[in-house]
Amino acid sequence: MSRVYNFGAGPATLPLPVLEQIQSELLDWHNLGLSILELGHRTKEFTELAEKTEADLRELLTIPSNYKVLFLHGGGRSQFAMVPMNLLQDKTSADYLETGIWSNLASIEAKRYCHVNVVASSKDSGYRTVPAVETWSLNPQAAYFYYCDNETVNGVELPFVPPVTVPLVTDMSSNFLSREIDINKFGLIFAGAQKNVAIAGVTIVIVRDDLLTSVLPQTPSMFTYKIHTDNNSMYNTPPIFAWYVASLVFEWIKKQGGVKQMQEQNQKKANKLYQFIDQCDFYYNFVEKKFRSRMNVVFNLKDETLNDLFLQQSTEAELAFLKGHKLVGAMRASIYNAMPESGIDALINFMTDFAKRYG
Ligand code: PMP
């Protein structure tokens, strides 16, 4: 068996032991004589799995009991609408910080439901930084403050939790479980699973229960958090396979030493790659240093005419999907929890060699 290092932004690489376990128990899950793919969500067996998955996540992130955990359909994009529909309550305005295309898209979606106050945006500078907190024009009457903790496309990550007084909402789709966080600081956290948690299909939402008192008129039932919390995420048929993969990934993280260990490893991997890019004349990264993402390392070749060759040869060297997002161009190495340090080493070796040959 030959497996490449997969630097794709998502659906992304999964821990090998997780894939092996899925393979080994795919045809006969827990001696039931059937596959998890064929298992009803209301069975005792799946209910137990669901409860254990939630308990593991609560343990991994020390989630307090006044927060609900949901496993939903619909991806990050559905959350762009669910957040305003559920959290506006009697307010008409929400604050948005724009640090990349995902927070920008979230703010555009929110405009369908409320006045969006963009507190600050780094759009004009090509989303390469996070505007200084002192420049944010916060609205103390906002229903909530929204930001994207890690901008997957632009490679920008916040190294701090925004100091705001209104409920804090964050999109952690691409850095969920990559570092320790204090849940108490947040009103709502959401994360599509296909990057750092599992496969596409499940979206995790952690929400403080006092925020769920009402929804906008005509909010679909499927978009109402309260309906999902009242039904333990089983209002309709949940994405059971993705939920099951999440359960295996949570167990894997626990075995590795928990989120603290992930954080240390992620910092080490990212430092190694950025240090290499910074000291090599051939490549550069354009994100302001303190806001560089530990998960999505964007970089350019100084001679862009070599881009296609770089991508062709890196693919041949079994380093897959290094092409950056079409809106930003260049290259992007997504190095989530499941990317081993050996993948970073292989990438640096290739980049060193390529620079020697074409520099
Ligand atoms: N937010 C972030 C930070 C993302 O990276 C993505 C997807 N790449 C989304 C939201 C949208 O997620 P989905 O495709 O699951 O709707």
Side-chain angles (χ1 to χ4, degrees):
M1 182 188 66
S2 159
R3 277 179 57 80
V4 301
Y5 288 114
N6 175 4
F7 292 97
T13 195
L14 283 163
L16 187 57
V18 166
L19 292 172
E20 286 168 345
Q21 184 168 345
I22 295 169
Q23 185 184 39
S24 75
E25 60 188 17
L26 187 67
L27 295 185
D28 181 6
W29 190 71
H30 290 199
N31 294 325
L32 288 178
L34 49 79
S35 166
I36 182 95
L37 293 165
E38 305 160 299
L39 186 63
H41 58 294
R42 308 223 182 266
T43 56
K44 176 170 110 352
E45 289 80 4
F46 188 76
T47 308
E48 279 170 13
L49 174 83
E51 285 170 1
K52 166 141 193 328
T53 313
E54 181 180 331
D56 282 347
L57 182 60
R58 284 186 175 276
E59 186 185 326
L60 282 169
L61 286 176
T62 322
I63 301 175
S65 57
N66 61 325
Y67 284 77
K68 303 283 189 201
V69 176
L70 294 170
F71 294 80
L72 303 180
H73 296 273
R77 290 252 193 179
S78 294
Q79 296 308 311
F80 294 176
M82 282 180 84
V83 164
M85 284 175 152
N86 287 264
L87 298 194
L88 278 169
Q89 309 282 325
D90 55 347
K91 303 273 178 67
T92 52
S93 179
D95 280 357
Y96 278 72
L97 174 67
E98 276 185 12
T99 54
I101 71 142
W102 289 112
S103 45
N104 173 250
L105 288 169
S107 76
I108 291 169
E109 180 70 19
K111 279 184 193 149
R112 297 163 61 103
Y113 308 102
C114 64
H115 171 71
V116 167
N117 172 40
V118 176
V119 302
S121 172
S122 55
K123 191 173 189 175
D124 289 347
S125 65
Y127 295 129
R128 294 170 180 198
T129 185
V130 174
V133 177
E134 306 76 61
T135 67
W136 298 359
S137 59
L138 296 167
N139 170 10
Q141 299 306 320
Y144 58 86
F145 175 100
Y146 180 105
Y147 76 107
C148 178
D149 204 36
N150 183 66
E151 288 282 357
T152 323
V153 169
N154 306 89
V156 173
E157 187 173 24
L158 263 76
F160 61 91
V161 177
V164 297
T165 51
V166 299
L168 192 56
V169 175
T170 184
D171 174 357
M172 288 194 184
S173 292
S174 48
N175 66 353
F176 193 62
L177 292 172
S178 73
R179 64 179 171 197
E180 293 186 302
I181 49 170
D182 178 0
I183 299 284
N184 289 296
K185 292 192 170 149
F186 296 89
L188 186 146
I189 296 170
F190 72 83
Q194 64 270 27
K195 299 163 194 305
N196 232 1
V197 176
I199 54 168
V202 70
T203 307
I204 292 173
V205 177
I206 302 170
V207 57
R208 217 175 62 214
D209 56 13
D210 64 286
L211 296 176
L212 305 182
T213 50
S214 66
V215 289
L216 292 187
Q218 297 182 355
T219 299
S221 315
M222 277 296 288
F223 269 42
T224 304
Y225 292 128
K226 184 79 171 60
I227 289 183
H228 291 293
T229 60
D230 286 350
N231 288 279
N232 297 324
S233 305
M234 300 221 194
Y235 174 62
N236 74 327
T237 313
I240 58 154
F241 192 69
W243 195 325
Y244 153 73
V245 178
S247 82
L248 299 182
V249 173
F250 295 164
E251 280 170 9
W252 176 80
I253 295 176
K254 281 172 68 175
K255 266 194 213 134
Q256 306 304 298
V259 178
K260 188 169 185 289
Q261 176 62 22
M262 292 291 113
Q263 176 167 347
E264 280 168 19
Q265 220 172 289
N266 287 327
Q267 196 62 60
K268 190 171 171 215
K269 289 185 297 182
N271 287 349
K272 210 178 205 182
L273 189 48
Y274 283 119
Q275 264 165 25
F276 168 75
I277 292 167
D278 288 344
Q279 59 79 37
C280 181
D281 268 353
F282 198 80
Y283 308 98
Y284 67 99
N285 167 283
F286 37 74
V287 177
E288 192 183 342
K289 278 193 179 163
K290 58 184 175 198
F291 303 120
R292 286 173 165 180
S293 167
R294 299 158 310 123
M295 299 280 104
N296 309 97
V297 178
V298 289
F299 61 94
N300 269 341
L301 275 61
K302 286 196 178 145
D303 178 359
E304 295 198 358
T305 62
L306 292 169
N307 280 357
D308 288 345
L309 197 63
F310 180 92
L311 287 168
Q312 184 200 322
Q313 294 193 7
S314 55
T315 307
E316 283 162 13
E318 306 195 330
L319 306 167
F321 304 126
L322 282 164
K323 192 169 169 31
H325 191 279
K326 59 182 183 299
L327 292 175
V328 175
M331 311 296 161
R332 171 176 50 174
S334 295
I335 52 173
Y336 302 121
N337 286 350
M339 173 60 67
E341 196 176 338
S342 59
I344 310 297
D345 294 337
L347 176 58
I348 291 175
N349 284 342
F350 169 79
M351 288 170 72
T352 307
D353 184 55
F354 191 85
K356 265 193 208 135
R357 284 186 286 120
Y358 298 100

